[in-house]
């Protein structure tokens, strides 16, 4: 068994273990991060048109799948966690004629192709590619799954500012009689791809595995697979005076969102 397969199996096991916790936490409306950082620019880059067929990759509890259906899309959604798909179906009883949920491993090229060649106008992956041990099969498959001129939009934690062992720093300083606060990050590694454990939501039962990759990895992978990069966003939170000085990423984007178009 290859290292990637072992990591994929371990990652899937962990997500099955935390599926219930994540589903209950995210609910129907997700958390602030998804509502303010991920969704607005993702929807803007996707530019969904009613009647389009969209592939929702690593769909989790189907939160965004239902949003796509509400926008008028026909949705095929998959995740490698059977328990996540169970949760998605339970939450989507009013959508089952518009959303086809499946259990599919994004590292299995043959399983991906079975979803239908040149069937999809759009594909999307919200904060998911970093959870996939090997994304080369997915990239190759998307060339077959998307229609001509189809687009793939995906978001990931910004690897420049959320690399392994990143330290979040909150400083308070008295400058000429005024209390000034600053948020910053300190990183010591960035270029080398590597897996590491993380807690995405405080209190989750076990950590899950993230696969860090520099920006150049994603760009070069898709360009070499006959995609062109034609959209790029680095959203940040708007300043909140009631944040109690929490680390809210005002000047540092916590995520990056790409749009690649099939040539």
């Amino acid at each position: 068994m290859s290292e990637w397969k072992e990591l994929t199996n371990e990652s899937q096991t962990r997500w099955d273990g935390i599926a219930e916790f994540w589903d209950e936490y995210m609910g129907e409306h997700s958390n602030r991060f998804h509502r303010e950082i991920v969704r607005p620019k993702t929807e803007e880059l996707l530019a969904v048109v009613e009647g389009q067929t969209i592939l929702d990759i690593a769909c989790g509890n189907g939160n965004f799948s239902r949003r796509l259906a509400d926008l008028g899309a026909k949705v095929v959604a998959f995740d490698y966690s059977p328990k996540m798909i169970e949760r998605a179906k339970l939450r989507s009883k009013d959508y089952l004629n518009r959303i086809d949920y499946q259990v599919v491993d994004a590292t299995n090229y043959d399983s991906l192709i079975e979803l239908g060649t040149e069937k999809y106008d759009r594909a999307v992956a919200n904060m998911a590619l970093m959870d996939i041990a090997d994304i080369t099969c997915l990239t190759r498959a998307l060339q077959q799954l998307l229609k001509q001129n189809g687009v793939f939009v995906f978001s990931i934690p910004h690897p420049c500012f959320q690399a392994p062992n990143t330290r979040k720093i909150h400083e308070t300083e008295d400058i000429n009689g005024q209390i000034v606060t600053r948020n910053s990050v300190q990183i010591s590694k960035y270029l080398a791809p590597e897996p590491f454990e993380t807690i995405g939501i405080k209190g989750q039962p076990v950590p899950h595995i993230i696969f860090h990759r520099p920006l150049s990895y994603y760009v070069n992978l898709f360009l070499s697979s006959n995609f062109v990069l034609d959209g790029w966003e680095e959203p940040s939170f708007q300043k909140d005076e009631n944040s109690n000085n929490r680390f809210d990423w005002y000047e540092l984007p916590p995520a990056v969102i790409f749009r690649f178009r099939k040539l």
Side-chain angles (χ1 to χ4, degrees):
M1 183 181 293
S2 70
E3 177 187 0
W4 289 125
K5 185 63 176 175
E6 291 176 357
L7 285 169
T8 296
N9 290 343
E10 176 64 20
S11 181
Q12 179 181 356
T13 298
R14 294 196 188 198
W15 273 108
D16 271 341
I18 61 177
E20 181 177 341
F21 177 87
W22 270 71
D23 174 49
E24 292 178 355
Y25 180 88
M26 300 296 280
E28 282 300 316
H29 304 291
S30 296
N31 59 4
R32 182 179 176 229
F33 182 85
H34 277 263
R35 291 194 306 270
E36 297 184 24
I37 297 295
V38 178
R39 283 193 171 190
K41 291 301 181 181
T42 296
E43 290 188 21
E44 183 179 313
L45 290 172
L46 272 176
V48 176
V49 176
E50 186 173 358
Q52 287 180 330
T53 302
I54 299 181
L55 182 64
D56 189 2
I57 298 164
C59 64
N61 76 350
N63 216 306
F64 197 63
S65 304
R66 293 184 287 277
R67 171 60 178 165
L68 293 171
D70 287 338
L71 292 173
K74 302 173 185 177
V75 183
V76 175
F78 73 84
D79 200 284
Y80 69 169
S81 168
K83 289 188 178 180
M84 276 294 195
I85 292 299
E86 288 177 13
R87 287 280 174 154
K89 288 181 177 179
L90 286 173
R91 288 186 175 274
S92 305
K93 292 179 180 178
D94 295 332
Y95 291 84
L96 294 184
N97 62 331
R98 289 178 282 168
I99 305 174
D100 176 16
Y101 288 112
Q102 300 188 36
V103 177
V104 175
D105 179 357
T107 67
N108 187 315
Y109 179 82
D110 293 335
S111 296
L112 291 169
I113 294 302
E114 290 177 4
L115 293 170
T117 58
E118 296 192 352
K119 176 179 178 178
Y120 302 96
D121 300 282
R122 304 279 189 270
V124 63
N126 286 333
M127 300 298 289
L129 293 198
M130 74 284 180
D131 295 327
I132 301 173
D134 181 6
I135 61 172
T136 56
C137 287
L138 176 62
T139 308
R140 286 195 297 119
L142 282 168
Q143 262 294 330
Q144 306 301 315
L145 298 170
L146 287 169
K147 298 177 181 178
Q148 193 65 36
N149 209 42
V151 301
F152 176 42
V153 176
F154 69 90
S155 56
I156 55 173
H158 204 305
C160 295
F161 308 112
Q162 300 210 60
N165 304 124
T166 296
R167 296 180 64 189
K168 297 177 182 178
I169 301 169
H170 179 78
E171 300 174 304
T172 301
E173 184 178 1
D174 187 337
I175 300 178
N176 297 325
Q178 291 190 344
I179 302 300
V180 177
T181 61
R182 287 183 296 269
N183 289 323
S184 61
V185 296
Q186 181 183 72
I187 64 169
S188 57
K189 56 176 74 175
Y190 167 72
L191 288 174
E194 66 171 284
F196 66 99
E197 293 183 327
T198 187
I199 296 292
I201 299 174
K202 185 178 180 180
Q204 74 181 51
V206 296
H208 59 278
I209 303 172
I210 279 185
F211 299 89
H212 167 77
R213 305 171 181 103
L215 293 175
S216 58
Y217 180 96
Y218 292 98
V219 174
N220 290 331
L221 177 62
F222 280 91
L223 293 184
S224 66
S225 300
N226 293 317
F227 285 89
V228 61
L229 175 61
D230 73 346
W232 166 297
E233 295 289 348
E234 296 175 292
S236 64
F237 286 109
Q238 296 297 311
K239 288 191 175 182
D240 180 1
E241 300 301 329
N242 298 316
S243 66
N244 295 320
N245 293 324
R246 65 176 176 238
F247 200 103
D248 258 338
W249 302 89
Y250 298 141
E251 294 297 330
L252 299 176
V256 58
I257 306 174
F258 295 95
R259 180 176 64 203
F260 284 95
R261 188 176 300 274
K262 174 182 173 180
L263 292 176

